[in-house]
Amino acid sequence: MHFAYPPRKSSHPPAYPARGLSRSLSYNQRRQLKIGAIILCSLVFLILVLSRLFSNGVERIQPGTPEVVIVTLIDEENMSKDYIAKVQDNRNEYAARHGYATFFPTVSSYPSINDSPRTWSLVPALRHALTLHPHSTYIFALSPHALIMNPTLNLRTHILAPNRLEKLMLRDKPVVPPDSVIKTFGNLKGDRIDLVLTQDGEGLCPGSFVLKNGEWAQFFLETWFDPLYRSYNFQKAEAHALEHIIQWHPTILTKLALIPQRTLNTYNTDIASRGGADALYQDGDFVVRLVGCDTDAARSCEGEFEAMRVKLGAQKMREGLKGGG
């Protein structure tokens, strides 16, 4: 019996890879993978950072977003419906002219003030406005006992543009007149300002001011509304609390611009302690306030508002005649 021979081995056996070369290739491959992973992670991180930065810029101003929100707190218990309607008409007319928005919260909407004076409701009302309009740039807080008398004035060109604000800012000025040791800074730039206020002969004037929207505004309002300050027996409640936090909180003082009173806050009545004749409204002024009308039993806020409203109507009529001529 014959059996098949096994196949013969080739005379040219395949070359075997060197053990050192195999290990070297594996090491290089692992090293390249690590480098690639590091580069990839770095690119992803950079993209996330850039997208976050650009998305924040887009969120601040979106098409159709009002740049300014006018906030007027309505005390429905002490104002007639007719008076409230006239106040709202004054704000709405001005807002429509410049593409702004209006917000008319009521005192009764904020029961959290507890036993504090009702005027404290202004602060949560402003926080409410920031929540409703997170992308608007400015909040213009204006007392209900006030009128916008020159609706042609745009807030940005009149006050808020950085170059304009730098010209208006009162530098090295006592925060609380006449001789407060705490003074406004002398080297602030207009683009660093988040709070624009005026003062009269008695102190700061929160009846007409501008607040820039953002994280600092939230901090400012939280500080102002601190229960500790509301529990103090400040003579002028939230107004004196405002003076306190501005003087003793450098973080707030560094964002403050005091501007001339006439720019944002004239009066319809000659009150010597609040500026006298220098603070009286003149034709062309932006805002007039009926300061003190709600605390003086001999005065009528509604009656004084109507008198200034008639004056405003006469001014518009004269401007219309000039334009027609």
Side-chain angles (χ1 to χ4, degrees), residues 162-321:
N163 291 340
R164 171 66 173 163
L165 195 53
E166 288 180 14
K167 294 177 181 178
L168 292 173
M169 290 166 57
L170 302 176
R171 304 175 189 275
D172 298 313
K173 181 84 169 177
V175 172
V176 179
D179 53 5
S180 170
V181 296
I182 307 299
K183 299 181 180 181
T184 57
F185 290 105
N187 58 350
L188 294 181
K189 299 297 184 181
D191 59 356
R192 306 295 294 176
I193 297 301
D194 285 349
L195 178 62
V196 181
L197 275 166
T198 63
Q199 61 177 197
D200 59 19
E202 294 185 3
L204 297 178
C205 303
S208 178
F209 71 94
V210 179
L211 177 65
K212 190 174 184 180
N213 199 351
E215 292 183 1
W216 186 89
Q218 298 285 354
F219 156 76
F220 165 69
L221 294 175
E222 290 291 340
T223 303
W224 191 5
F225 201 58
D226 191 300
L228 182 63
Y229 299 137
R230 283 183 282 144
S231 68
Y232 285 174
N233 190 25
F234 285 122
Q235 183 180 3
K236 292 186 178 180
E238 80 291 344
H240 280 174
L242 177 63
E243 293 177 354
H244 175 83
I245 64 174
I246 287 178
Q247 289 186 96
W248 303 112
H249 286 262
T251 307
I252 296 176
L253 186 60
T254 56
K255 293 292 188 177
L256 169 71
L258 282 182
I259 62 175
Q261 182 179 351
R262 186 170 298 282
T263 312
L264 189 62
N265 181 46
T266 63
Y267 298 151
N268 71 321
T269 303
D270 186 341
I271 304 176
S273 64
R274 306 201 71 156
D278 291 339
L280 278 177
Y281 168 79
Q282 298 175 6
D283 287 352
D285 288 338
F286 180 39
V287 168
V288 62
R289 284 180 57 211
L290 320 175
V291 64
C293 72
D294 54 341
T295 57
D296 188 343
R299 296 174 60 186
S300 167
C301 293
E302 188 166 356
E304 293 179 20
F305 187 97
E306 180 60 20
M308 295 305 300
R309 196 174 75 92
V310 170
K311 187 179 184 71
L312 174 59
Q315 291 175 359
K316 291 179 179 178
M317 186 173 294
R318 288 197 299 270
E319 291 173 2
L321 291 175

Side-chain angles (χ1 to χ4, degrees), residues 59-62 64-71 99-105 125-140 211-214 217-218:
E59 287 179 1
R60 291 295 299 171
I61 301 178
Q62 296 180 348
T65 298
E67 182 182 24
V68 176
V69 180
I70 305 169
V71 179
Y100 299 161
T102 56
F103 178 48
F104 302 105
L126 294 175
R127 291 193 305 189
H128 192 177
L130 294 179
T131 301
L132 293 176
H133 300 275
H135 304 301
S136 293
T137 309
Y138 298 103
I139 298 296
F140 176 23
L211 177 65
K212 190 174 184 180
N213 199 351
Q218 298 285 354

Side-chain angles (χ1 to χ4, degrees), residues 91-112:
R91 312 303 192 259
N92 287 331
E93 180 181 344
Y94 174 70
R97 184 166 188 159
H98 297 283
Y100 299 161
T102 56
F103 178 48
F104 302 105
T106 59
V107 171
S108 61
S109 299
Y110 309 103
S112 60

